[in-house]
Amino acid sequence: MEPRIKREAPSITTDLRSDTVQVPSVIRNCSGIRIFGKRIKSLIFTTDIAIILNNDADAVIAVYPFTPHPAVIQSIANVSTIPILSGVGGGTTQGKRSANISLFSEAQGSLAVVVNAPTPIETIKQIEETVDIPIVCTIVTEYMDIQARLDAGVDILNVSGGKDTAYIVSRIRENFPDVPIIATGGPTDETILDAINAGANAISWTPPSNGELFRRKMDKYRNKERERYMQEHQGMTIEEVEDLEDHRD
């Protein structure tokens, strides 16, 4: 039997879509999590509509530090071409309201709902009784009671422990070898790999801000204009050209 040849997937894009935000390729080293048949390895952590429309992640994790609102979920659902994991509260917003927002999220096509770290067990149970999509629970420290949350209906853990993320993932993996884990990857390939090696199945990644992306594009335009000018003036900068003209005068 001949060995199977692994082929690179063909890539197709256009000039107008060449500036998409690309998640770090190292994330492809994780196993991924299959949710309703969709394999999710990379999740982009943003609610910026423009970035959500222009990225190559497998899914978007739409969690934000305000009271969850149906208008936000609907706006993201209207533009996203990738699955959405929608934040439904759990801190200030709890109980019936979180359950209702979860139901709305499901109706808008969300692949899963995400509850914050302080979410009471009773709220998780209410959401579990209300929707058919998975519940993702955010874990911020190794001291949280994982078993109680799983028993209440949590399906996936979302570890966001800052510099301790990989350590928390490893602790969870020791006691819960089969539970699906999303983890924040941090700022570098090394921190992403640390989370993966600790046992994370998928990685959430925070993209550059809209302002940072604009700064990069403006720098590119400035350099391009400078190069064009120098090509038209035999490699001279504008200061050199002005100095030469002054001498001619």
Side-chain angles (χ1 to χ4, degrees), residues 29-47:
N29 288 298
C30 64
S31 66
I33 301 171
R34 289 193 185 277
I35 306 177
F36 301 132
K38 296 179 174 63
R39 190 175 187 178
I40 307 297
K41 290 189 175 185
S42 59
L43 299 100
I44 195 162
F45 176 44
T46 184
T47 53

Side-chain angles (χ1 to χ4, degrees), residues 99 102-103 106 121-133 135 152-153:
S102 297
L103 185 60
E106 182 179 34
I121 296 299
E122 286 305 314
T123 295
I124 295 174
K125 290 180 179 179
Q126 281 186 277
I127 296 172
E128 162 69 13
E129 293 170 357
T130 303
V131 299
D132 186 50
I133 54 179
I135 301 173

Side-chain angles (χ1 to χ4, degrees), residues 104-156:
F104 180 83
S105 299
E106 182 179 34
Q108 291 295 311
S110 292
L111 193 66
V113 293
V114 185
V115 295
N116 291 335
T119 305
I121 296 299
E122 286 305 314
T123 295
I124 295 174
K125 290 180 179 179
Q126 281 186 277
I127 296 172
E128 162 69 13
E129 293 170 357
T130 303
V131 299
D132 186 50
I133 54 179
I135 301 173
V136 182
C137 182
T138 303
I139 305 298
V140 295
T141 173
E142 68 270 29
Y143 298 105
M144 296 178 69
D145 189 341
I146 304 297
Q147 188 63 62
R149 287 163 172 78
L150 295 175
D151 291 343
V154 165
D155 302 283
I156 301 169

